[in-house]
Amino acid sequence: MFKRRKPRSYGQIASEMIYPRGGWGRATRYVMYRLRRLPDHPHRIARGVASGVFVSFTPLFGFHFLSAAATAWIIGGNILAALLATFVGNPVTLPFIAFASTAVGRHILGLEGDLSPHFIFREFSRATSEIWHNIHSMFGPKVAHWNMLHDFFFEIFWPYVVGGTILGLVVSVGVHYVTVPVFRAYQRRREKKMADRIERASQRAAALALQRAAALRDHPGDGDVRPDQDWQPPQ
């Protein structure tokens, strides 16, 4: 009943992961709308958002949801807010996050060499292919080799972890202290609107009750007996 009449192809699913059908602006507004309407304490929502932002700076691709949920649970944040906040690591921002994190990590670890977003993602792609090759070699005649993964770990992955942890902590802490007053102000405004709506509804109900009482007093029904009339038995 709720399925698509024409299922999406794998190409459409992949393209919408890179660029949503409604555009990134609409996707961003949707995420912000869902975050604002979460029924939880502002501090818990802010901790969840901070967890999602922090995880977005890590190279745990494919595990961001699980990592964000676990981080939010550990620090007492809202898990749904953490899942929504992983939207920060989208295909538009991810190249900048990856480059900045890896660059900071390589600088801290004292590694030198040219670095670019294209190089980082090419190395991730090669490492992924190497992992699949080694998995297939366990069930076939192929020979596993780990030298490329060794270089990738120490040249790209580990610097990404170090730099992403530092940048993620800085950004997530800043996001937490910025979002707490924002969510608190939104919830107060929402509560005020709800109270005004309830008050207007009660005033309309009271006015309607007065109108009905006046109508019954001025135009009593046929079955009503007015107090100023003498009762006459039916003939």
Side-chain angles (χ1 to χ4, degrees):
M1 180 177 179
F2 299 100
K3 294 182 179 179
R4 294 174 177 266
R5 293 183 178 179
K6 184 179 180 181
R8 293 181 301 174
S9 63
Y10 291 108
Q12 290 176 333
I13 296 175
S15 63
E16 290 182 8
M17 291 179 62
I18 298 175
Y19 187 81
R21 184 171 53 183
W24 284 110
R26 181 178 179 182
T28 302
R29 289 193 298 271
Y30 172 76
V31 172
M32 296 304 299
Y33 174 80
R34 291 298 303 271
L35 284 173
R36 290 198 305 266
R37 296 184 67 85
L38 287 176
D40 205 346
H41 195 276
H43 282 285
R44 283 180 50 83
I45 299 175
R47 291 192 196 108
V49 173
S51 301
V53 172
F54 171 75
V55 170
S56 298
F57 280 81
T58 64
L60 303 176
F61 304 122
F63 299 95
H64 278 178
F65 273 12
L66 293 176
S67 303
T71 305
W73 180 75
I74 291 173
I75 66 176
N78 187 284
I79 294 179
L80 182 56
L83 299 181
L84 291 171
T86 56
F87 176 77
V88 171
N90 58 72
V92 176
T93 61
L94 193 56
F96 302 98
I97 293 175
F99 177 77
S101 300
T102 307
V104 171
R106 288 174 65 89
H107 178 73
I108 293 175
L109 297 174
L111 301 175
E112 299 179 356
D114 297 333
L115 189 66
S116 66
H118 176 72
F119 173 75
I120 295 172
F121 283 98
R122 186 183 65 186
E123 292 300 313
F124 267 98
S125 178
R126 293 174 61 184
T128 303
S129 301
E130 189 78 7
I131 292 174
W132 279 111
H133 172 82
N134 293 341
I135 292 176
H136 291 164
S137 66
M138 298 171 59
F139 306 97
K142 297 181 180 180
V143 179
H145 41 83
W146 301 93
N147 56 334
M148 186 181 299
L149 290 176
H150 179 274
D151 297 337
F152 166 78
F153 180 84
F154 288 101
E155 294 290 332
I156 300 296
F157 187 82
W158 182 240
Y160 197 151
V161 171
V162 174
T165 301
I166 295 174
L167 293 180
L169 283 174
V170 173
V171 175
S172 61
V173 170
V175 167
H176 175 269
Y177 284 104
V178 169
T179 53
V180 167
V182 172
F183 289 123
R184 183 182 291 121
Y186 177 80
Q187 290 184 356
R188 287 177 178 174
R189 186 178 64 179
R190 186 180 177 187
E191 291 173 357
K192 184 177 183 301
K193 287 184 177 180
M194 184 62 68
D196 293 341
R197 190 178 303 170
I198 294 174
E199 183 179 358
R200 289 195 299 268
S202 62
Q203 290 176 354
R204 287 197 298 267
L208 183 60
L210 290 176
Q211 290 177 0
R212 289 180 177 177
L216 290 175
R217 185 177 62 252
D218 297 337
H219 304 284
D222 295 337
D224 296 335
V225 177
R226 302 181 66 175
D228 56 345
Q229 292 180 340
D230 294 333
W231 181 79
Q232 298 292 334
Q235 297 297 330

